[in-house]
């Protein structure tokens, strides 16, 4: 998993709970990297699982909810650092369709060792988009936070339904339906 996923997660925790808690979390997690991350480095996915689980124990907020919150947080970083990906698309559905077709392909070119999910998208009708998430890392809650923030970005309102196709969370279907005005 790329370092940016870790550095931004630690930033989020620091903003919410302060630096001392970040320090305590890193010390207690027994991470093989020692908790020292650079944004271009690559680290074991298990480390993010340890960090999020630790924070869940500490805060009483569930792991899925923390991942969703983190997706929303990281979205701001993506808008700040990769604004052109958003500017290129006229609405949220076009943007979401462009992740698998374009954005993550560009990400893979820059970071050949990035471990990215796949998204299979299908327009059900004018107001509904189906997105099937597939990844061994089972981070669909993180995807959900990113989808929610993408809707906000384009100032669109929609409901997000989530169906587990594989019980372990490696295949999850989202159905995003725009609210009728
Ligand atoms: C400008 C937009 C985006 C950029 C630049 C971007 C880039 C990245 C990067 C660098 C990673 C880390 C890969 C690794 O750790 O090896 C990642 C992971 C991921 N991205 Fe994106 N992404 C963007 C938008 C989105 C959106 C909107 C979604 C949600 C639908 C999404 C879903 C995910 C998920 C779920 C992962 C975690 C890895 C996994 O589940 O296998 N991304 N992305």
């Amino acid at each position: 998993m790329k370092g940016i996923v870790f550095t931004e997660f630690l930033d989020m925790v620091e903003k919410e709970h302060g630096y001392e808690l970040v320090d305590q979390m890193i010390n207690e997690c027994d991470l093989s990297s020692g908790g020292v991350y650079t944004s271009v480095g690559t680290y074991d996915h298990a480390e993010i699982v340890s960090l999020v689980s630790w924070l869940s124990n500490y805060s009483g907020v569930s792991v899925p909810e923390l991942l969703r919150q983190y997706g929303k947080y990281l979205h701001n970083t993506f808008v700040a650092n990769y604004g052109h990906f958003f500017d290129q698309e006229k609405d949220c559905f076009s943007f979401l369709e462009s992740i698998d077709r374009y954005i993550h392909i560009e990400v893979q070119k820059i970071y050949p060792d990035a471990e990215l999910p796949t998204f299979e998208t299908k327009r059900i009708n004018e107001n509904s988009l189906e997105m099937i998430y597939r990844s061994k890392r089972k981070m669909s809650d993180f995807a959900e936070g990113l989808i929610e923030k993408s809707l906000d970005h384009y100032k669109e309102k929609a409901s997000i339904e989530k169906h587990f196709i594989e019980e372990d969370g490696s295949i999850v279907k989202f159905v995003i339906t725009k609210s009728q005005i």
Side-chain angles (χ1 to χ4, degrees), residues 1-6 39 41-43 45 71 74-75 77-86 95-96 98-100 103-104 106-108 110-119 131 133-150 174 176:
M1 188 138 250
K2 295 310 296 177
I4 187 175
V5 177
F6 294 92
S39 63
T42 301
Y43 307 90
H45 170 253
L74 195 61
H75 194 275
T77 311
F78 285 164
V79 172
N81 295 354
Y82 304 94
H84 55 288
F85 289 134
F86 295 89
F95 171 74
L96 294 174
S98 76
I99 299 166
D100 200 64
I103 300 175
H104 278 174
E106 292 301 306
V107 170
Q108 196 87 65
I110 306 168
Y111 306 116
D113 54 355
E115 297 179 306
L116 295 157
T118 63
F119 288 101
M131 262 185 115
Y133 164 89
R134 288 190 174 83
S135 167
K136 279 192 283 200
R137 288 162 295 286
K138 306 169 191 137
M139 291 181 74
S140 66
D141 299 298
F142 174 68
E144 191 177 349
L146 281 162
I147 295 170
E148 279 178 39
K149 257 312 197 58
S150 301
F174 291 100
I176 306 155

Side-chain angles (χ1 to χ4, degrees), residues 8 16 71 76 93 95 120-121 131 138 148 150 154 172:
E8 290 296 309
E16 250 167 64
N76 294 335
F93 284 2
F95 171 74
E120 192 182 318
T121 55
M131 262 185 115
K138 306 169 191 137
E148 279 178 39
S150 301
Y154 291 95
V172 174

